[in-house]
Amino acid sequence: MQEPQQLRIFKFGGASVKDAAAIRNLVHITQTYGQPGPLVVVVSAMGKTTNALEEIFQLAQTGQEYSTQLSTLRNFHLQVATELGATDEAAGTPALTELLEQLQDRLATLQPGDFDKQYDQVVSFGELLATRIVARALQAQWLDCRTLIRTDHTWREGRVAWPATERLLASTLPARLAHGPVVTQGFLGGTSSGQTTTLGREGSDYTAAILAYCLGAASVTIWKDVAGLLNADPKIFADTVRYPEISYQETIEMAYYGASVIHPKTIKPLAVKQIPLLVKSFVDPAAEGTVIHDCRHGLLVPALIRKTGQCLVSFESKDLTFISEENLEVIFGALAQVRLKIHLMQNSAISFSVCTDFSAYRLEKLLGVLREQFTIHYNTGLELYTIKNYDAASIRRLTEGRELLLEQRTRQTFQFVCRGGENEWIK
């Protein structure tokens, strides 16, 4: 008796579905490397659609005109669908025009307040539109993952309700997969009351890991525009090196520090069930790529990671008393309250500094909570560099000629904050 073939998960990001030619390439990859056996294809929003939706949402939220931007978004998706012959409605798949009308209605009925909640309801249309087109081009089944990936009400960073999600997926997907490949959205989830949540920016990798964990997949493959997991972003750094294989633990740390190839939450569910993660190139799909799994390796080439759009915030006690544990408890509580994540922190006798992603909205909320108790200074437009497995040469390479506002070193990791130079090519 032939053994049942194991499920695989393919994830395609925005660059791999940026236009009609890219989607045709996705179809080729899926038909060439996704057979035989059951396959789930997880798809992100097309190209820079999420950025466009964020701009439209910001305009709508502040009562500004957004019709031009919305028309551009609409025409782009309809044009790609027309080029692919994917404009007609497939069984079980909402028509593209229907989704675009829902987006327009959602924008027209935005209410003041609840910024994060309404963000999720609007920006989620990027994935819904992309999967509508891809499912039709691939002649695959379209699945609304908002009904199956159950989260709480933490808008923009939904926390997965794992038992409910596992139960919903296990009761739905196997029967659907018996009829062929399924296309679904990355980045999205849903509450028990049917409201849309998102899993964090660039969260489509995490979606693939959730599906793999809950369904016991044999592997997850993330298709990127690079040759595999590299020690640095080739758009920023010269002479990058590919890791043929790397451990879950090492990858988690790189993702935590900001490596753009993998979403930080992706690795844990895969490691728990020992599901290998393959990072492969959609430009050269036959190439080896990288395998992330439970393995041992020697000293790795230093990983060079840059995070832009950073803010350095310093808190000083107003009466020159020491920054005590009680002070830190108040500061950490306020940071958690406004949902600012700390990427680097350092304290002296009378001050405490943190580096975090810059958000004018969240920073203003933080100042409102703490400015009476502390004197607060902050700098924006900064960059945070991390060198994992550093050596003297890599430190010299990144720090030479820069003004370091803050630096920190542990046994394996060197980090520093400096003023921004986002378009700089680092040799």
Side-chain angles (χ1 to χ4, degrees):
M1 182 176 175
Q2 188 174 9
E3 298 224 358
Q5 291 164 328
Q6 289 186 288
L7 170 68
R8 285 178 291 168
I9 313 287
F10 279 7
K11 180 264 174 176
F12 291 90
S16 60
V17 290
K18 66 180 181 180
D19 54 28
I23 293 174
R24 290 191 188 98
N25 187 51
L26 176 154
V27 172
H28 168 73
I29 288 171
T30 302
Q31 292 176 345
T32 305
Y33 299 95
Q35 298 177 359
L39 178 70
V40 176
V41 179
V42 177
V43 177
S44 300
M46 297 173 61
K48 300 297 183 182
T49 297
T50 299
N51 292 342
L53 282 166
E54 286 180 336
E55 180 188 1
I56 291 168
F57 173 68
Q58 289 277 5
L59 291 170
Q61 264 275 322
T62 53
Q64 299 180 68
E65 180 59 44
Y66 57 83
S67 58
T68 300
Q69 290 87 344
L70 183 59
S71 179
T72 300
L73 184 92
R74 176 188 180 88
N75 292 340
F76 167 70
H77 284 85
L78 290 174
Q79 177 61 34
V80 171
T82 300
E83 289 181 45
L84 293 168
T87 52
D88 57 318
E89 185 174 354
T93 306
L96 198 62
T97 52
E98 179 185 333
L99 288 172
L100 288 164
E101 286 166 6
Q102 289 174 14
L103 171 59
Q104 188 166 348
D105 291 343
R106 175 69 68 178
L107 288 164
T109 56
L110 288 180
Q111 300 295 320
D114 279 334
F115 182 93
D116 289 339
K117 177 181 179 180
Q118 294 189 74
Y119 172 98
D120 281 1
Q121 313 316 305
V122 170
V123 173
S124 54
F125 275 91
E127 276 67 22
L128 296 172
L129 292 166
T131 52
R132 163 66 185 92
I133 295 171
V134 170
R136 194 71 188 92
L138 196 56
Q139 294 294 299
Q141 304 169 80
W142 184 87
L143 182 73
D144 188 345
C145 75
R146 297 173 298 173
T147 63
L148 300 176
I149 296 181
R150 182 63 50 80
T151 75
D152 65 3
H153 292 79
T154 305
W155 312 112
R156 298 186 70 173
E157 203 164 348
R159 297 188 181 98
V160 176
W162 287 96
T165 298
E166 194 164 7
R167 184 173 63 253
L168 288 165
L169 286 168
S171 64
T172 304
L173 257 295
R176 294 286 296 271
L177 287 165
H179 299 285
V182 166
V183 173
T184 195
Q185 307 78 34
F187 182 53
L188 308 186
T191 68
S192 57
S193 58
Q195 294 173 305
T196 301
T197 56
T198 61
L199 304 177
R201 201 69 156 80
E202 311 293 343
S204 294
D205 296 349
Y206 187 32
T207 300
I210 294 167
L211 295 172
Y213 175 92
C214 293
L215 297 168
S219 65
V220 173
T221 304
I222 295 177
W223 296 93
K224 306 286 291 186
D225 58 355
V226 291
L229 185 62
L230 308 180
N231 75 311
D233 185 341
K235 298 184 183 72
I236 302 169
F237 298 92
D239 304 323
T240 56
V241 175
R242 176 180 62 88
Y243 301 115
E245 68 170 355
I246 193 167
S247 67
Y248 292 123
Q249 181 176 354
E250 196 74 26
T251 309
I252 283 176
E253 293 196 16
M254 289 173 60
Y256 171 78
Y257 289 123
S260 59
V261 173
I262 307 293
H263 185 275
K265 293 182 180 178
T266 302
I267 302 300
K268 182 180 177 180
L270 300 179
V272 168
K273 290 201 173 179
Q274 296 290 290
I275 299 169
L277 174 61
L278 288 73
V279 182
K280 293 179 69 73
S281 169
F282 63 75
V283 179
D284 184 11
E288 184 181 357
T290 298
V291 181
I292 301 168
H293 60 153
D294 187 14
C295 65
R296 295 184 179 276
H297 38 61
L299 187 64
L300 295 170
V301 172
L304 313 177
I305 302 162
R306 183 181 77 174
K307 286 181 73 71
T308 60
Q310 298 297 289
C311 178
L312 184 62
V313 188
S314 297
F315 308 89
E316 295 180 1
S317 57
K318 288 191 171 183
D319 58 0
L320 298 183
T321 56
F322 291 145
I323 291 289
S324 65
E325 288 78 7
E326 290 79 7
N327 294 139
L328 293 176
E329 183 179 12
V330 171
I331 294 169
F332 282 127
L335 288 164
Q337 180 183 330
V338 303
R339 291 171 59 191
L340 280 172
K341 292 183 178 178
I342 300 171
H343 301 310
L344 180 63
M345 58 185 174
Q346 196 171 92
N347 68 288
S348 66
I350 60 171
S351 71
F352 178 69
S353 299
V354 298
C355 179
T356 183
D357 293 328
F358 174 65
S359 162
Y361 168 72
R362 299 189 192 284
L363 181 59
E364 188 56 42
K365 288 178 69 175
L366 181 70
L367 296 176
V369 174
L370 294 178
R371 62 162 50 103
E372 286 192 13
Q373 189 169 348
F374 300 95
T375 299
I376 303 175
H377 304 281
Y378 63 88
N379 299 88
T380 62
L382 306 180
E383 296 177 344
L384 169 65
Y385 286 85
T386 302
I387 309 174
K388 185 79 172 64
N389 303 311
Y390 66 87
D391 55 19
S394 60
I395 292 176
R396 186 168 55 253
R397 175 185 180 186
L398 294 194
T399 59
E400 192 170 14
R402 300 182 188 277
E403 178 192 358
L404 276 57
L405 304 182
L406 185 151
E407 65 177 280
Q408 194 169 96
R409 184 188 311 230
T410 65
R411 291 175 183 172
Q412 292 185 314
T413 305
F414 179 81
Q415 293 183 284
F416 66 91
V417 179
C418 65
R419 302 196 186 279
E422 292 193 17
N423 297 321
E424 181 181 8
W425 173 259
I426 301 170
K427 293 182 180 179

